């Protein structure tokens, strides 16, 4: 990964100032939601994602901001997925949750890769849910951690549980590619380390397929731990922050309870869902709340043109289906 100096940060800042001067206020407004009071940290993230090249980082950042404006990402946290039972089904099939914080104050997100089925809703809802968690992390969780720990915290840790992983999981490669591309292009450098635990024998076969889809900088942050990873993870966090599947004395990880951070009944998801509903009431759109999903298009990227074009085409198909079904 390229070293990002203050000089190149200043270069990118100057390029973006020219960009903001030439466009309307929409990009400036959404940029504030991105940097959360730390613009230089945001410039650094995008520079790292483009190997320290200010011109390429500018294009990536402008593409990200335009994507946010075009898809109304600033209001994503005011668009609850309804009815609640639909959202509960998403939580039971797209397994992700906040289990605690590391010793350094980084939020610890647990992801149930092996047991996620993505079979309780359409692709649109899973993409919408993923973006909402990203936005809630960046606009609520990280600023709160920054305040609580008395220092700027801009990254998280993700622990990927491979329990129950089967080769059939590759059937979800299209959805996983969409989500991965959204993160790579619009939320770069938000994860410090990916820890993989409970890897079964089929993991190596699945990893060979998934690994090429990941950015090299992402692959470089991935650490495969032995067994449930408890011993290694206790070096960087307290036992109370360990996800349930990393605890040697935990019960069956496929069972949901309030102690399971995937569940809608877990405090994190209950707080997130209530926050979105409250923001909706404040936002007060002209039309009453209806069941519906967000159709997200991806910005093109010079380094990933083929993937970007393919995803844009696929998302357009999904959008057409959603429009037809609502008539």
């Amino acid at each position: 990964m390229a070293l990002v100096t203050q000089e190149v940060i200043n270069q990118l800042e100057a390029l973006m100032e020219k960009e903001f001067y030439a466009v309307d206020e929409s990009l400036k407004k959404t940029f504030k939601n991105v940097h959360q009071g730390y613009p230089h940290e945001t410039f650094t993230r995008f520079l790292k994602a483009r190997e320290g090249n200010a011109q390429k980082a500018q294009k990536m950042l402008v593409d990200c901001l335009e994507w946010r404006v075009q898809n109304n990402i600033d209001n994503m946290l005011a668009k609850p997925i309804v009815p609640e039972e639909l959202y509960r089904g998403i939580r039971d099939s797209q397994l992700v949750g906040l289990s605690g914080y590391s010793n350094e104050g980084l939020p610890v997100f647990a992801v149930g890769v092996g047991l996620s089925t993505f079979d309780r809703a359409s692709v649109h809802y899973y993409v919408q849910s993923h973006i909402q968690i990203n936005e809630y992390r960046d606009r609520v969780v990280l600023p709160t951690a920054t305040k609580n720990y008395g220092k700027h915290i801009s990254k998280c840790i993700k622990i990927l549980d491979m329990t129950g992983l089967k080769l059939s999981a590759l059937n979800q490669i299209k959805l996983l590619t969409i989500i991965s591309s959204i993160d790579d292009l619009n939320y770069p450098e938000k994860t410090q380390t990916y820890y993989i635990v409970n890897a079964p024998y089929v993991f190596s076969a699945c990893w060979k397929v998934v690994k090429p889809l990941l950015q090299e900088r992402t692959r470089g942050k991935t650490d495969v731990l032995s067994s449930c990873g408890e011993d290694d993870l206790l070096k960087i966090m307290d036992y109370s922050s360990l996800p349930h599947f990393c605890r040697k004395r935990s019960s069956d990880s496929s069972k949901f309870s309030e102690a399971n951070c995937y569940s809608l009944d877990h405090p994190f998801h209950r707080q997130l869902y209530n926050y979105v509903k409250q923001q909706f009431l404040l936002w007060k759109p002209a039309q009453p709340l209806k069941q519906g999903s967000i159709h997200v298009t991806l910005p093109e990227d010079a380094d990933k043109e083929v993937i970007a074009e393919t995803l844009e085409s696929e998302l357009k198909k999904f959008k057409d289906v959603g429009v037809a079904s609502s008539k």
Side-chain angles (χ1 to χ4, degrees), residues 45-297:
R45 290 195 293 108
F46 280 81
L47 283 165
K48 287 182 177 180
R50 288 297 174 262
E51 298 300 322
N53 185 302
Q55 286 73 28
K56 290 183 178 180
Q58 179 205 17
K59 182 183 185 307
M60 182 184 186
L61 181 51
V62 170
D63 284 346
C64 166
L65 299 180
E66 290 178 344
W67 170 80
R68 294 181 64 87
V69 171
Q70 291 166 6
N71 293 285
N72 200 17
I73 302 300
D74 286 347
N75 290 321
M76 183 65 75
L77 290 178
K79 299 179 180 180
I81 296 174
V82 293
E84 184 171 314
E85 282 308 303
L86 173 62
Y87 188 68
R88 183 177 293 278
I90 292 172
R91 294 279 56 85
D92 289 349
S93 56
Q94 183 184 34
L95 305 182
V96 59
L98 178 67
S99 66
Y101 295 83
S102 73
N103 296 337
E104 296 297 320
L106 276 65
V108 178
F109 282 90
V111 183
V113 177
L115 294 174
S116 290
T117 56
F118 300 103
D119 60 355
R120 301 284 294 277
S122 68
V123 170
H124 316 304
Y125 287 116
Y126 287 115
V127 172
Q128 178 181 351
S129 174
H130 178 78
I131 295 174
Q132 284 183 333
I133 291 176
N134 279 356
E135 291 294 309
Y136 189 73
R137 174 199 65 197
D138 293 350
R139 291 196 243 168
V140 178
V141 175
L142 289 173
T144 300
T146 294
K147 180 179 179 180
N148 292 341
Y149 286 86
K151 60 181 180 180
H152 180 45
I153 296 175
S154 62
K155 297 178 183 291
C156 67
I157 291 171
K158 290 186 178 180
I159 305 177
L160 313 181
D161 180 26
M162 298 298 162
T163 298
L165 183 68
K166 300 177 182 178
L167 288 175
S168 58
L170 296 176
N171 294 333
Q172 304 296 339
I173 199 67
K174 180 186 293 185
L175 173 57
L176 296 177
T177 301
I178 292 173
I179 289 175
S180 175
S181 294
I182 287 174
D183 285 352
D184 284 340
L185 298 176
N186 303 291
Y187 303 93
E189 299 297 319
K190 296 301 294 186
T191 301
Q192 177 175 280
T193 309
Y194 298 87
Y195 292 104
I196 295 176
V197 300
N198 297 319
Y201 73 95
V202 299
F203 169 73
S204 59
C206 293
W207 183 240
K208 288 180 181 179
V209 177
V210 175
K211 188 175 181 179
L213 301 176
L214 303 176
Q215 293 283 344
E216 184 173 349
R217 66 180 188 276
T218 300
R219 297 197 296 267
K221 299 175 185 176
T222 303
D223 190 0
V224 181
L225 304 181
S226 62
S227 188
C228 67
E230 178 180 314
D231 294 338
D232 291 310
L233 293 172
L234 284 177
K235 298 175 182 177
I236 62 170
M237 68 186 70
D238 292 337
Y239 186 83
S240 61
S241 291
L242 285 178
H244 59 281
F245 53 78
C246 291
R247 302 180 181 187
K248 295 177 181 178
R249 298 184 297 277
S250 67
S251 59
D252 186 355
S253 63
S254 65
K255 295 180 180 178
F256 294 91
S257 67
E258 291 191 4
N260 188 314
C261 63
Y262 300 149
S263 172
L264 179 56
D265 296 321
H266 187 273
F268 168 72
H269 282 299
R270 182 50 60 187
Q271 291 165 9
L272 166 58
Y273 195 60
N274 288 339
Y275 180 90
V276 174
K277 290 192 293 184
Q278 291 168 2
Q279 292 301 305
F280 167 75
L281 294 176
L282 294 174
W283 184 41
K284 292 183 179 178
Q287 298 297 323
L289 183 62
K290 296 180 180 180
Q291 180 173 336
S293 56
I294 303 300
H295 305 279
V296 178
T297 55

